[in-house]
């Protein structure tokens, strides 16, 4: 009988070592993420989360090891990768509309004239519809709330028609309602077959709603289902501080003393 293959993998990291100017940022990092999963990348500041995202994007080369994206070990097809930076890295005062920002996701697909076509505009508006912001298409980007700004960045990645979305701290600074709305959006994208890797400090959201969690502090401390890896021992090893877990019914809450 022929051996059955496992689930298709969106992302494979195999023994990744990387750093800057001779200083090590990642040591032997290894994990696999299946297609259509919502995965959380969890770790303290300086743990290598942003470095790992840059490696996946192909913006930085590992010293050693291999990254495969949708089965390919060659230079990643950037059209299949969508990236949303931390909002602090964006100049929100730039005089552009929300639709203009989302259209930026189409630039990699534009022809020689580099001008968006009617089809590009339709795709951008559909992306805004997906994040429930179609009515804000003509609003200046700087007039949006923090949660709306994050949604606009996700819409830009969707307009790119990316299959793997890399999101850097999208939940940071949001109130509970905005967080809940954004998590609902992530779950909807997952049901559409998108794969999401979300760097975040919000452990409770990962525990409650994500498929996988990667605990990272230069090395992968643990990788697996949040229910399996969110233990006090593993979280304390990751953050190098004492964290408290409280489980109420089917939800897990994480705090610190």
């Amino acid at each position: 009988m022929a051996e059955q293959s496992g689930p298709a993998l969106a992302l494979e990291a195999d023994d990744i070592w990387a750093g800057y100017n001779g200083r090590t940022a990642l040591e032997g990092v290894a994990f696999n993420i299946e297609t259509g999963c919502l995965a959380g990348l969890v770790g303290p500041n300086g743990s290598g989360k942003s470095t790992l995202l840059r490696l996946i994007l192909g913006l930085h080369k590992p010293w050693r090891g291999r990254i495969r994206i949708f089965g390919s070990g060659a230079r990643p097809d950037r059209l299949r990768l969508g990236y949303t930076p931390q909002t602090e890295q964006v100049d929100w005062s730039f005089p552009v509309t929300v639709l203009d920002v989302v259209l930026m996701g189409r630039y990699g697909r534009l022809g020689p004239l580099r001008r968006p076509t009617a089809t590009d505009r339709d795709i951008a508006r559909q992306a805004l519809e997906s994040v429930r912001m179609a009515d804000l298409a003509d609003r200046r980007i700087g007039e949006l709330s923090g949660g709306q700004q994050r949604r606009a960045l996700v819409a830009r990645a969707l307009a790119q028609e990316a299959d793997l979305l890399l999101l850097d701290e999208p939940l940071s600074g949001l109130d509970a309602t905005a967080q809940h709305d954004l998590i609902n959006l992530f779950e909807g994208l997952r049901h559409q077959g998108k794969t999401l890797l979300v760097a975040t400090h919000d452990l409770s959201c990962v525990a409650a709603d994500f498929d996988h969690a990667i605990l990272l502090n230069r090395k992968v401390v643990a990788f697996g289902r949040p229910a399996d890896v969110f233990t006090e021992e593993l979280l304390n090893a990751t953050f190098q501080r004492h964290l408290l877990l409280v489980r109420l019914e089917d939800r897990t809450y994480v705090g610190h003393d």
Side-chain angles (χ1 to χ4, degrees):
M1 180 180 294
E3 183 178 346
Q4 292 184 342
S5 60
L9 296 177
L11 178 62
E12 303 167 70
D14 182 15
D15 193 28
I16 299 298
W17 291 71
Y20 303 91
N21 302 319
R23 297 184 62 183
T24 302
L26 296 173
E27 304 177 10
V29 168
F31 60 88
N32 296 329
I33 296 178
E34 298 170 5
T35 299
C37 283
L38 175 56
L41 180 60
V42 174
N45 292 331
S47 61
K49 299 191 299 297
S50 294
T51 297
L52 180 57
L53 295 182
R54 289 178 59 83
L55 288 167
I56 297 169
L57 288 165
L59 301 178
H60 188 61
K61 292 184 178 180
W63 294 343
R64 195 173 83 198
R66 182 181 65 174
I67 292 176
R68 294 173 63 85
I69 298 172
F70 297 110
S72 174
R75 184 175 180 178
D77 180 356
R78 292 190 180 179
L79 294 180
R80 299 196 72 184
L81 296 176
Y83 172 62
T84 66
Q86 296 183 30
T87 55
E88 293 80 4
Q89 300 172 0
V90 179
D91 181 5
W92 299 106
S93 65
F94 199 72
V96 292
T97 67
V98 174
L99 182 61
D100 291 333
V101 170
V102 178
L103 275 171
M104 292 176 187
R106 301 297 301 165
Y107 287 176
R109 298 181 180 273
L110 297 183
L113 297 180
R114 308 291 293 176
R115 291 184 178 179
T117 65
T119 298
D120 293 315
R121 292 184 176 278
D122 286 343
I123 291 172
R125 290 186 182 279
Q126 289 170 11
L128 281 171
E129 185 72 37
S130 295
V131 301
R132 302 201 304 276
M133 287 182 54
D135 58 328
L136 299 177
D138 297 324
R139 183 81 60 86
R140 287 290 181 96
I141 192 70
E143 298 175 357
L144 301 183
S145 68
Q148 290 169 337
Q149 288 173 346
R150 285 164 174 80
R151 284 178 174 271
L153 293 177
V154 173
R156 183 183 67 175
L158 294 179
Q160 184 180 319
E161 299 180 302
D163 299 309
L164 172 60
L165 304 179
L166 309 175
L167 288 74
D168 197 353
E169 298 292 348
L171 301 171
S172 177
L174 299 184
D175 61 30
T177 299
Q179 281 192 355
H180 180 74
D181 287 345
L182 204 57
I183 291 295
N184 283 342
L185 171 62
F186 295 165
E187 291 179 337
L189 294 174
R190 175 181 59 184
H191 291 313
Q192 294 174 26
K194 304 293 185 182
T195 306
L196 297 89
L197 178 59
V198 181
T200 181
H201 289 88
D202 196 310
L203 306 184
S204 295
C205 283
V206 176
D209 301 301
F210 284 45
D211 301 306
H212 298 306
I214 305 163
L215 301 187
L216 183 72
N217 194 341
R218 295 180 39 151
K219 303 177 181 179
V220 173
V221 178
F223 168 69
R225 296 189 311 125
D228 296 329
V229 302
F230 276 20
T231 67
E232 290 191 30
E233 178 181 4
L234 291 174
L235 290 174
N236 293 341
T238 302
F239 287 88
Q240 299 179 347
R241 63 188 300 187
H242 185 57
L243 298 177
L244 304 174
L245 293 184
V246 178
R247 303 185 189 275
L248 298 175
E249 297 180 353
D250 60 344
R251 298 186 69 90
T252 301
Y253 300 88
V254 183
H256 58 83
D257 55 15

